[in-house]
Amino acid sequence: MRFLTITLIVHAPDPVTGRQKSTQDRLREVVDNALLAEELGFDGFGVGERHERPFISSAPTVVLSHLAALTSRIRLFTAVTTLSLLDPVRAFEDYATLDHLADGRLELIIGKGNGAAQRELFSVTPEDQWDRNAESYEVFRQLWRNNTITYDTKFRPPLLDAEVWPQPYQRPIRIWHGSATSRASVDLAARYGDPLFSANVTTPIEPYAELIRYYRERWAHYGHAPATIAVGAGSAGYYAARNSQDAIEAYHPVFEGQLAFQQRLGLQPAFPTLEDFVERSSALIGSPAQVIDKVHRYHEQFGHTVLHLHADAGGLTDAQHRESLELFQSDIAPTLRREIPDPPWGWGGPGQ
């Protein structure tokens, strides 16, 4: 099994202290967390893309390019690239350039994106976002294989023998499809034989497990070999300590702060108590043995071989955050790596 840490670059008050960092300090924190992930031996670091409050992740290519210059081993992910909002030609130019700067360490997780504000910002409607996502992906995918393209696009000016530069480093790049609730995203991934990354953060396991089962059905329908399938999954939170009581005690103020934040936004929490959150969500909170057991329980339903943790402290102190990630790498990851297989391609570029 392989492990990523991911940030959506939420820019909001600390759920425990109520203090909010400046934009520059928040972005510096992202950089520090990426360097920490590489130092501790995580396999990947991901940066989200959102175009509305409370996020400041509107330029993932800029952030990832900076990280490419500061790191040497860790793979760099988008989480997710919102292709339904983007011109696929411009997105290709950005990511092909970034792929060179990252020495081929780039992987993409694409998705339609969520949020009414960012749809309005880019004049995308709920009715056309799926078609936009599919069209943009088809253009993006073709360009990654051949930088000369003819395509009768609907949502941007048609392309006739158009040349797009630079040619990318990886030919092709690995592209995951991020999915939370959509069968359309799942079918698109299965159609092209691409891996799936389940969000797996806001509800209990059942809806996500159902979508992954559907993905496997569509994978077979399109004639792909079962042994080549790959699934990744998120987690709603992570904090581990040597014993479960210490983990629960330390995480309690974080949960209460997050609950209050959801309530201020007018959101109905899916898990109203910490006990419910620990039991029924995908959060990994407890002793190393409890975390390992829960990952296995999810693996029984998902068959996933990649797992992401939150890169941000999110209300924990910096010391708590680092100690918990160190404990993950020393006492949790070795067991999971041994007991759950890697993705079928190993860990590197698409040909590795």
Side-chain angles (χ1 to χ4, degrees):
M1 192 173 215
R2 297 289 177 159
F3 306 101
L4 323 177
T5 63
I6 284 179
T7 178
L8 302 182
I9 321 187
V10 175
H11 191 219
D14 184 286
V16 176
T17 67
R19 293 192 294 271
Q20 182 165 324
K21 295 183 178 181
S22 69
T23 298
Q24 186 176 45
D25 286 346
R26 181 68 183 94
L27 291 172
R28 169 50 58 186
E29 184 178 48
V30 171
V31 173
D32 291 344
N33 285 335
L35 297 177
L36 176 62
E38 177 161 91
E39 175 193 339
L40 296 182
F42 281 89
D43 302 290
F45 184 85
V47 174
E49 180 181 343
R50 300 290 189 277
H51 300 271
E52 59 187 342
R53 289 188 293 175
F55 307 99
I56 52 171
S57 51
S58 57
T61 50
V62 176
V63 177
L64 289 170
S65 293
H66 185 62
L67 297 180
L70 298 176
T71 59
S72 60
R73 179 198 59 79
I74 199 166
R75 295 191 69 77
L76 301 173
F77 283 73
T78 63
V80 300
T81 295
T82 53
L83 275 183
S84 67
L85 307 180
L86 306 177
D87 182 314
V89 174
R90 190 70 185 93
F92 167 80
E93 292 173 335
D94 285 346
Y95 282 110
T97 302
L98 171 53
D99 193 34
H100 283 280
L101 296 174
D103 295 323
R105 290 183 287 134
L106 178 64
E107 300 204 21
L108 302 178
I109 307 175
I110 69 160
K112 69 169 181 62
N114 293 309
Q118 61 181 10
R119 282 200 305 266
E120 293 171 4
L121 186 64
F122 290 93
S123 297
V124 173
T125 69
E127 292 74 27
D128 69 19
Q129 62 183 349
W130 300 112
D131 291 339
R132 285 178 179 271
N133 188 61
E135 177 182 287
S136 292
Y137 177 58
E138 178 61 31
V139 172
F140 189 92
R141 185 177 184 274
Q142 286 192 28
L143 283 172
W144 212 279
R145 287 159 172 78
N146 183 354
N147 66 313
T148 301
I149 186 172
T150 295
Y151 199 99
D152 187 17
T153 48
K154 176 181 178 182
F155 298 105
R156 57 144 292 134
L159 298 158
L160 179 61
D161 293 328
E163 289 188 357
V164 186
W165 300 94
Q167 293 187 2
Y169 184 95
Q170 298 180 84
R171 304 290 293 267
I173 195 171
R174 181 175 300 116
I175 300 178
W176 300 72
H177 294 248
S179 176
T181 60
S182 166
R183 286 194 166 206
S185 295
V186 165
D187 187 82
L188 188 66
R191 186 189 319 162
Y192 286 109
D194 295 331
L196 181 74
F197 216 108
S198 173
N200 189 39
V201 295
T202 57
T203 73
I205 191 172
E206 289 80 9
Y208 301 114
E210 181 181 352
L211 270 181
I212 292 171
R213 288 192 294 269
Y214 179 69
Y215 171 62
R216 294 181 182 278
E217 292 170 7
R218 300 307 292 170
W219 185 272
H221 170 80
Y222 288 115
H224 304 302
T228 61
I229 204 166
V231 174
S235 58
Y238 165 71
Y239 184 73
R242 290 292 176 187
N243 65 73
S244 59
Q245 289 180 333
D246 289 343
I248 295 295
E249 183 178 349
Y251 202 82
H252 187 268
V254 176
F255 176 80
E256 291 299 324
Q258 292 172 343
L259 192 65
F261 182 67
Q262 292 177 41
Q263 292 169 343
R264 287 196 299 272
L265 293 177
L267 302 176
Q268 182 67 32
F271 309 101
T273 67
L274 177 58
E275 292 74 19
D276 190 38
F277 183 65
V278 171
E279 176 60 29
R280 293 196 307 121
S281 83
S282 61
L284 304 171
I285 300 167
S287 67
Q290 288 172 317
V291 171
I292 291 167
D293 178 69
K294 193 167 192 180
V295 173
H296 272 290
R297 285 193 280 127
Y298 271 76
H299 179 71
E300 289 172 4
Q301 297 268 0
F302 293 173
H304 59 307
T305 53
V306 179
L307 172 70
H308 90 53
L309 307 177
H310 289 287
D312 302 313
L316 299 167
T317 67
D318 290 342
Q320 287 174 320
H321 183 54
R322 182 184 181 101
E323 289 169 3
S324 183
L325 291 178
E326 288 175 341
L327 187 60
F328 185 90
Q329 289 291 33
S330 65
D331 287 41
I332 298 171
T335 299
L336 293 175
R337 290 187 194 278
R338 183 174 62 251
E339 296 176 351
I340 297 177
D342 279 351
W345 55 74
W347 197 255
Q352 301 177 37

